[in-house]
Amino acid sequence: MEITRVGIVGAGQMGNGIAHVFAMAKYEVLLYDNSVENLFNGMQRIHKDLDTLIRRDKISAQIKQDVLERIGQVERLRELGSCDLIIEAAKEDEDVKKAIFKGLEPFLSEHTLLTTNTSSISITRLASCTDRPERFMGFHFMNPVPQMKLVELIRGIATEDPIYQTLQGIVTRLGKTSASSEDFPGFIVNRVLMPMINEAIYALYEGVGSVSAIDKSLKLGANHPMGPFELADFIGLDTCLAIMNVLHDGLADTKYRPCPLLTKYVEAGWLGRKKMRGFYDYHVNPPRPTR
Ligand code: NAD
């Protein structure tokens, strides 16, 4: 199936990264966010990331300009109606995602593929609220999108094979690698990664070690490039909590119980890097642990 125009819903850290890599691969991109401020910030981020590539001699100024010209900004969801492929990358909330697909439906052509970048929510359940579950898939990019090589592909129960193959082809054109995951809570990456982060927060909560001690231990003792608190702040603590809740509810096992300390940080609005404060305070350099 020919995919020319790609509509992205949500211009946050994932949505703007997805727009960046699709435009680099010469797709026409339309980027939408229901917050004009976040749409603006998302475009600013793409500018900055492209400037970094210029500074590193990876692309020329002309390529930057061409990439930016391929990204259109739209302020109404319905303007994505002409797209061949939709990638939903709004916040990790099932009701929000369902409302987006419902809102799009009247404006889409029959051939349009619907995908979601959800980290954990059931693809089959999201697909079932649309008019085209056979043309619906999980399309899970990793953060930061321009750098990370993996994309998880998740079929819903009704997804047809040619749709899977189309997405596999797109992943190759983006210069990335796909892994197939069955549709279970958290898929593969977050099924393994998020309980590790949650366990690190429990270790902090129970006084086993400080933020710095736990991060240092995992970096130097397990060769992780980032400590679990650095990584949690990078992902966003609201997203981490939402994923733990999906694992807990979907797998009905107390081992996935979100740590109360994670809930407390989210309730405080200390969501990590995007709010300049999470397990670290990013107003100072180097960032200072908040516990
Ligand atoms: P984010 O908070 O950075 O951005 C979310 C964006 O969605 C915001 O700009 C917000 O204004 C917008 N939004 C909210 N409701 C909307 C609506 N109804 N219509 C349009 N836009 C809306 O979050 P993020 O980290 O980019 O995460 C987005 C999705 O990607 C989530 O489903 C998340 O689970 C998934 N994801 C996140 C990561 C990560 O590391 N952060 C990795 C992979 C996948």
Side-chain angles (χ1 to χ4, degrees), residues 13-14 33-34 38 90 92 97 117 119 141 143 235 274:
Q13 48 183 348
M14 296 308 292
D33 199 293
N34 68 348
N38 289 356
E92 187 72 348
K97 292 184 186 299
N117 186 48
S119 303
F141 288 82
N143 186 15
I235 293 168
K274 62 185 166 188

Side-chain angles (χ1 to χ4, degrees), residues 9-15 32-35 38-39 77 88-93 96-97 100 116-121 140-143 190 234-236 238-239 243 274:
V9 182
Q13 48 183 348
M14 296 308 292
Y32 164 77
D33 199 293
N34 68 348
S35 150
N38 289 356
L39 184 57
L77 190 60
E88 175 281 313
K91 67 189 265 208
E92 187 72 348
D93 178 313
V96 169
K97 292 184 186 299
I100 288 168
T116 171
N117 186 48
T118 179
S119 303
S120 58
I121 300 169
H140 186 215
F141 288 82
M142 307 292 136
N143 186 15
N190 284 314
F234 185 68
I235 293 168
D238 51 341
T239 301
I243 297 170
K274 62 185 166 188

